[in-house]
Amino acid sequence: MAESPEEVAVLVQRVVKDIRNAFQRNPHIDEIGLIPCPEARYNRSPIVLVENKLGVESWCVKFLLPYVHNKLLLYRQRKQWLNKDELIDITCTLLLLNPDFTTAWNVRKELILSGTLNPLKDLHLGKLALTKFPKSPETWIHRRWVLQQLIQENSLPSLVTKGNLGAAPVERIHRLVQEEMNICSEAAGRYPSNYNAWSHRIWVLQHLGKLTVKVLLDELSSTKYWVSMHVSDHSGFHYRQFLLKSLIGRTVTDNNVLVQNQMVNEQNPSLQKEEESAVAEAACAEEQSMDLPRRLEEELELCTELIDTYPGHETLWCHSDETLNNSHHSPATSHMAQAMDVDGLNESSSKQGYTQETKRLKRAPMQDSLGPEMEYRFIDKVLSTCRDVDQARFATAYRKWLLTFLGQ
């Protein structure tokens, strides 16, 4: 085993070269890991490549990590010169072993901005680092920086000229979104309540997905199974709350746009009727695909099912609280109620014929499903049948929340 500084330098240079060669032989490596090996048993490289998995024997880390770390610091202090290829290899090795070393990511930022390093290679490096360190905050931060470079107007055409992404800009963005969603799901599965992964997922929806209704609905559907398998993961359910609130926000925004368009049309009667009809049809189709009250109802049904199946998980009760709160206090729900009032008034020329009972019947699906009465019955059922102490405590707290916060 290497002990002298000269032997350590030779060992590290060989290992760094082996890592570079491994990526050249197989550019589709999708996971890294440490192989428990206290000491070198054979005269061979500590870098093991099996199919798409890259392993590093643990005995060499105590030599490898300090050496590349100090070498990079000497470079930043301008005490030692490294060419661009050496910088790429050293930072790659360092970040695979310690992805929270900010200086290494900053060096790679400089290489990307200078055109030396392909930003897609950094996305791949970050993806590999997250398989071993799924909560690494510096890796997620750098990943967002790289994505910002990719979505800039000047970056997308340059990628086509380099032959990295040959599809149309919209398709490239869609591909990036799907890739980021998969990476976030894998990282969330590797580390419970991985706040950094779910926060990154929200950022991607905001900056790449643009919070379109289709993207939000797809995410609501795709994460349903995940949260059902991770019922104690607060971050996963918080993400679903973000999706629901974003859908509510889109509903309010779309309604405001429709009102503004109607005012403009009244002031400008010369606008073509075909254009008005097309806008109205598009808005109607989007609203029908969203069906916000139904989405909120399905979310409460999911909470009820999971609470019955997995008793004693506070996360599920908190998610039920927030979902019911959204359904009763969202501007979108208020707007729908007002629209139904108008419909009722239009049915009769006098207010006498429009009773509260008629209004209740017209709003029956939303009010019966999302009303507190259903929740009270559910709480009574839980308290009368459950044997779990925590489940009874959470149900009692939920009842108290209904009484105080909703004023029921």
Side-chain angles (χ1 to χ4, degrees):
M1 184 179 293
E3 294 182 359
S4 67
E6 293 78 10
E7 290 176 327
V8 170
V10 173
L11 169 66
V12 170
Q13 291 173 6
R14 187 185 71 174
V15 173
V16 171
K17 182 179 179 180
D18 290 341
I19 292 177
R20 181 181 69 247
N21 293 336
F23 281 103
Q24 291 177 349
R25 293 199 308 270
N26 186 355
H28 303 294
I29 296 174
D30 57 13
E31 187 176 356
I32 62 170
L34 288 179
I35 302 174
C37 186
E39 55 186 31
R41 299 179 181 178
Y42 308 99
N43 186 20
R44 66 181 185 186
S45 172
I47 305 303
V48 180
L49 179 62
V50 179
E51 295 181 351
N52 294 334
K53 314 301 178 183
L54 180 66
V56 180
E57 293 183 354
S58 59
W59 67 264
C60 74
V61 175
K62 62 182 179 180
F63 302 108
L64 182 61
L65 187 56
Y67 184 90
V68 294
H69 180 275
N70 292 333
K71 197 166 188 178
L72 186 62
L73 289 181
L74 290 175
Y75 167 79
R76 295 297 281 181
Q77 296 169 1
R78 299 184 178 182
K79 296 180 179 180
Q80 183 175 353
W81 169 253
L82 297 173
N83 61 41
K84 295 179 179 179
D85 291 334
E86 290 174 329
L87 281 176
I88 292 175
D89 292 341
I90 287 179
T91 54
C92 175
T93 302
L94 179 55
L95 291 170
L96 289 177
L97 300 175
N98 179 21
D100 285 328
F101 187 44
T102 309
T103 302
W105 287 122
N106 290 339
V107 170
R108 295 182 74 89
K109 285 184 176 72
E110 296 172 358
L111 294 173
I112 291 176
L113 293 176
S114 65
T116 304
L117 181 62
N118 187 338
L120 295 180
K121 290 187 177 296
D122 250 26
L123 289 181
H124 185 228
L125 176 62
K127 176 183 177 180
L128 292 179
L130 291 172
T131 61
K132 176 63 178 174
F133 307 93
K135 202 178 179 181
S136 168
E138 294 299 328
T139 304
W140 291 112
I141 292 172
H142 182 74
R143 193 169 194 85
R144 287 191 284 275
W145 182 88
V146 174
L147 289 172
Q148 285 178 328
Q149 304 304 308
L150 291 177
I151 62 179
Q152 287 179 354
E153 295 181 357
N154 296 331
S155 296
L156 290 174
S158 65
L159 288 174
V160 178
T161 59
K162 293 179 182 178
N164 300 321
L165 290 171
V170 176
E171 296 178 0
R172 292 201 300 272
I173 295 297
H174 177 72
R175 190 184 309 166
L176 283 175
V177 171
Q178 292 300 319
E179 176 70 11
E180 294 305 303
M181 296 298 103
N182 295 334
I183 293 173
C184 290
S185 295
E186 293 179 4
R190 294 176 185 272
Y191 195 100
S193 294
N194 194 338
Y195 175 80
N196 293 323
W198 291 107
S199 297
H200 179 78
R201 194 164 186 156
I202 290 176
W203 184 92
V204 170
L205 288 186
Q206 292 173 331
H207 293 81
L208 274 71
K210 302 302 181 182
L211 295 179
T212 62
V213 172
K214 182 181 183 305
V215 170
L216 292 173
L217 293 179
D218 288 345
E219 280 295 284
L220 202 61
S221 176
S222 64
T223 57
K224 182 177 180 180
Y225 176 78
W226 195 96
V227 296
S228 299
M229 296 294 101
H230 302 78
V231 293
S232 290
D233 197 300
H234 284 272
S235 297
F237 283 98
H238 175 266
Y239 178 73
R240 290 184 69 82
Q241 287 299 329
F242 167 79
L243 296 176
L244 293 173
K245 291 179 180 179
S246 297
L247 286 172
I248 292 173
R250 287 304 304 264
T251 302
V252 176
T253 302
D254 293 343
N255 290 335
N256 292 337
V257 170
L258 288 176
V259 172
Q260 293 176 2
N261 289 339
Q262 291 176 359
M263 296 176 62
V264 172
N265 293 338
E266 292 176 358
Q267 297 175 359
N268 300 276
S270 60
L271 292 177
Q272 296 181 0
K273 293 184 178 180
E274 294 182 359
E275 182 179 353
E276 299 175 7
S277 177
V279 173
E281 290 179 1
C284 181
E286 189 175 75
E287 183 177 353
Q288 290 178 354
S289 65
M290 184 187 306
D291 193 6
L292 184 58
R294 178 58 187 167
R295 302 292 175 179
L296 293 170
E297 178 184 345
E298 291 176 349
E299 197 67 16
L300 276 179
E301 291 175 354
L302 174 65
C303 292
T304 300
E305 179 182 351
L306 294 178
I307 288 173
D308 282 335
T309 307
Y310 305 101
H313 290 274
E314 186 178 13
T315 301
L316 301 175
W317 291 96
C318 293
H319 184 61
S320 182
D321 289 353
E322 192 64 24
T323 303
L324 190 62
N325 179 38
N326 288 335
S327 67
H328 279 265
H329 295 84
S330 67
T333 307
S334 302
H335 172 81
M336 295 181 63
Q338 294 174 2
M340 292 177 181
D341 288 347
V342 174
D343 292 340
L345 289 174
N346 290 336
E347 291 177 0
S348 174
S349 58
S350 63
K351 295 184 180 180
Q352 184 175 1
Y354 181 66
T355 62
Q356 186 67 21
E357 182 66 15
T358 305
K359 178 180 177 182
R360 188 192 67 81
L361 290 174
K362 289 176 68 63
R363 296 174 56 189
M366 179 177 63
Q367 189 154 343
D368 287 349
S369 300
L370 302 183
E373 295 80 8
M374 289 288 294
E375 298 303 303
Y376 284 131
R377 288 196 291 269
F378 172 65
I379 294 172
D380 292 338
K381 175 187 173 184
V382 170
L383 292 176
S384 61
T385 58
C386 78
R387 298 180 179 179
D388 188 277
V389 177
D390 291 332
Q391 180 84 324
R393 179 165 57 88
F394 297 146
T396 302
Y398 187 45
R399 179 196 290 275
K400 182 179 180 181
W401 177 81
L402 285 174
L403 290 172
T404 56
F405 188 79
L406 294 181
Q408 299 289 338

